[in-house]
Amino acid sequence: MPSARRILGMVVGIVIIGLGIALFKQSHLGNDSISALNMRLAEMLGISLGVQNLCTNILFFALQFWFGRKYIGLGTFVNGIGVGFIVTAFYDPIAAHFGPAEALGLPVQLLWVALAVPVTALGASLYQTADLGIAPYDYLSLGLRDYTPVPYFGCRVFTDALCALLCWLLGGLVGIGTLICAFCLGPFIQFFDRTFSQKVLQYKPNN
């Protein structure tokens, strides 16, 4: 039975991830590849990001359920169902209050990206450290690693690049923010793992 500390850390982490994705979206310089693809599909289909994200995760979850049940946990469902709606809940008031960042120029857009990177990384660090299941999209690269000779890094690059390519082909936004996600989130996640998440979620009181 997972501890209340880990469950709370997982939920808080997912909420923070949603905030980070909303900040990336506000920059209008590109999101992580799967979020960018979902945003474009939502625009094309005329549905909310939350509904589109849920539909995509149902598809990915089918693969996860069939091939990688060991990666399924409470966090799989909380992330898969909730993160798209959380992004919208944060983005709508941010956009309404601050207006379009692109109208203020590249320095302001980069400022939003600079804020989004550590926020998203902190959320991902808490979510991953809680170790309560892998999000359906994140499973894709793990599943490829398990069933092919390609190492995890190569599998992750492949899934991210494929989603970015599909987003671009569909006329979606793939920009510098997408590249920054690819290269900067990892080091920041590792930093928060060491300095915060592991200490908070793996804390054991002295007897």
Side-chain angles (χ1 to χ4, degrees), residues 21 24 30-37 137 177-178 181 185:
I21 295 173
F24 270 115
N31 280 77
D32 63 283
S33 56
I34 185 59
S35 296
L37 177 59
Y137 173 72
T178 309
C181 276
L185 282 182

Side-chain angles (χ1 to χ4, degrees), residues 12-87:
V12 171
I14 290 172
V15 172
I16 296 175
I17 289 172
L19 173 59
I21 295 173
L23 294 174
F24 270 115
K25 185 177 181 181
Q26 171 66 10
S27 76
H28 206 72
L29 288 177
N31 280 77
D32 63 283
S33 56
I34 185 59
S35 296
L37 177 59
N38 276 325
M39 289 173 190
R40 181 53 182 160
L41 288 172
E43 292 172 357
M44 295 176 65
L45 296 173
I47 59 178
S48 71
L49 175 61
V51 173
Q52 173 56 47
N53 188 79
L54 179 60
C55 292
T56 302
N57 278 323
I58 289 173
L59 174 62
F60 293 154
F61 179 75
L63 296 173
Q64 187 176 7
F65 182 80
W66 189 263
F67 296 106
R69 295 183 188 180
K70 65 181 179 180
Y71 296 111
I72 297 174
L74 178 62
T76 304
F77 298 100
V78 176
N79 187 307
I81 294 171
V83 72
F85 297 100
I86 295 170
V87 172

Side-chain angles (χ1 to χ4, degrees), residues 108-195:
V108 174
Q109 291 176 274
L110 290 173
L111 184 61
W112 282 106
V113 171
L115 181 61
V117 168
V119 170
T120 307
L122 174 60
S125 175
L126 284 169
Y127 171 69
Q128 293 174 6
T129 303
D131 193 25
L132 292 176
I134 298 298
Y137 173 72
D138 294 331
Y139 164 71
L140 296 182
S141 50
L142 289 170
L144 284 173
R145 180 200 64 186
D146 291 346
Y147 288 94
T148 69
V150 181
Y152 172 77
F153 178 77
C155 293
R156 184 71 193 208
V157 169
F158 172 75
T159 57
D160 286 349
L162 180 60
C163 288
L165 176 61
L166 289 173
C167 179
W168 180 76
L169 290 174
L170 292 172
L173 177 61
V174 177
I176 189 173
T178 309
L179 295 176
I180 290 174
C181 276
F183 290 102
C184 295
L185 282 182
F188 272 91
I189 291 172
Q190 290 181 341
F191 169 77
F192 284 120
D193 283 349
R194 296 192 308 268
T195 62

